[in-house]
Amino acid sequence: MFQKILIANRGEIALRILRTCREMGIRAVVAHSTADADSLPVRQADGSICIGPAEARSSYLNVPAIISAAAITDSEAIHPGYGLLSENPAFAEICRACGITFIGPSPEAIRLMGDKAQARQMAKQAGAPVVPGSKGPLDSLEQAQALADEIGYPVIVKAAAGGGGRGMRIVREPDMLARAFTTCQAEAVAAFGSSELYLEKFIEEARHVEVQVLGDRSGIRVHLGERDCSVQRRHQKLLEESPAPALSRETRAGLCKAALAVANAVNYVSAGTVEFLVDRSGRFYFIEMNTRIQVEHPVTELVTGVDLVAEQLRIANRERLDVDVTLTGHAVEVRLYAEDPRSFLPQAGRLERLRLPHGIRVDAGVEEGDEVGVAYDPMIAKLIAHGPTRDEAFARLHDALAETEVAGVVTNLPFLRWLVSHPAVLAGRTTTAFLTDFPPLAEPPLRLPTGPWDGAWRLNLPSPPPHSPPDVDEAARGSRSGDGAEQSALTAPMPGTVIRVLAKEGDRVEHRQPLLVLEAMKMETPVVSPYEAVVRSVHVAEGDRVAGGAVLVELEE
């Protein structure tokens, strides 16, 4: 087994990896930015090394710095966690070339499954059903229109290199396709540096169900059951559970068989997740494969008893896969974030009080007294409850959330308490349209006993058509002036760094066209035009750090 590894990540996943390394007798060094020099993972690691300034591009995404850190610390392997460089095939290739073990799949598998259009074709060839759609990236708007007419509306346009809901639009009518196509291309370029799009049939009232797989170098591949991740907002998961509720035996078996077929088709090694949509009749369709450990992996660990990080380490050490997969009970997870529960915008501040619950699994990335900054993802902790039955698992999570206390920074705790008590969630009747079908805006107000959330609260959600998942928000707040609302100023919704400026004074811009990209808390947020307009002035340049509320762009209708 490895003597020492480098953890090229931060926060709760860095601590999660540290915990398993400690149990396995492996020394772990945490690579960190200057902003994380006193972070909880750094304080608990066997060693640490600074890889650059706070900006992720100059530290956690700085491949030469990370490779150098591994060499300087005599680390034999690098664990990338999730996000950041975990699905970067070039990074995996460089590790290989430098004689450093990348704890994850091969660069070839990462590259193939990272291109969603190619992944669809591979899955189809492997016998997994796919949503009707384009065979590869679309060549033109005309091709998209012809395909949409063939498979029927509604359709969904997606960035081929995308993820996280960016570069994605649901199109319900033919006359909406041209604008969606143009907007998705602009967003895809802004977020991923690629304008390639593909198109699929949009599945109404779908559930998002994924299968955890493991594979080793000898060709052994197993699945560890499925997770339901249907409760989402803007394609971001909010609640995950295993096993998935209300699945027939046939559907469950079909999903797991298809997942293994996809993993075998790419000769998959390490931990990975094959994701599907399941329609109201139980038919399922492959959508993508994530070639890394997932944020929601703890629910699978609790129902199987398998330490997925330990298996990643053993597989990377060329050991033969030897796991006994038996599912026991039920597990459910939610993510506690420093974010405004009305808008889901990230928040910053010092954790003056942090009381996390006992009696359930808690994967935290911070402790009381730590600062939640503006540079990275604002996750505080994942709360995961396990019980012999689904009802008991939810009851334990409900009690744990009631026990949780946070002061000093605004969190989504009120929303999570509302979520795990909702009748549709408790009944296992959720789809990806849950927050559209049951918006908190329309629910009875939630009352909390003390603090700034005492009394009613309202979650600010858009109102898309029935059964469609919420669309990507307008990223910046705007204020209009003039009796005809001819002018508006777009302001930063949070502190952050301007990483791209896509418009200049005098440009004519379309509704929802990206104007610039703001990076805050490890998220890239395109700031888009709220209507067709002319750019009156741009107040920022690439590299500028801006405060929340700062004026970014002024527009004229």
Side-chain angles (χ1 to χ4, degrees), residues 148-217:
D149 289 340
E150 177 186 336
I151 65 178
Y153 289 85
V155 297
I156 186 164
V157 180
K158 296 182 180 181
R166 291 172 291 179
M168 185 182 299
R169 287 292 182 279
I170 297 164
V171 181
R172 296 186 171 277
E173 303 291 341
D175 58 5
M176 297 168 58
L177 183 57
R179 173 168 289 180
F181 190 90
T182 302
T183 303
C184 285
Q185 275 194 326
E187 285 187 2
V189 170
F192 311 113
S194 170
S195 64
E196 289 189 338
L197 305 176
Y198 69 107
L199 181 145
E200 290 178 344
K201 177 73 176 174
F202 177 65
I203 307 299
E204 301 276 13
E205 296 187 7
R207 296 173 61 187
H208 185 130
V209 181
E210 61 190 29
V211 178
Q212 177 72 58
V213 296
L214 285 172
D216 69 12
R217 296 176 188 274

Side-chain angles (χ1 to χ4, degrees), residues 2-20:
F2 305 115
Q3 297 300 306
K4 185 191 290 185
I5 72 164
L6 182 77
I7 299 174
N9 214 300
R10 61 175 307 280
E12 70 84 17
I13 188 59
L15 280 168
R16 165 70 191 88
I17 298 165
L18 272 171
R19 184 175 73 243
T20 289

Side-chain angles (χ1 to χ4, degrees), residues 538-552:
V538 178
H539 292 263
V540 293
E542 291 184 3
D544 286 356
R545 291 189 63 82
V546 297
V551 175
L552 305 173

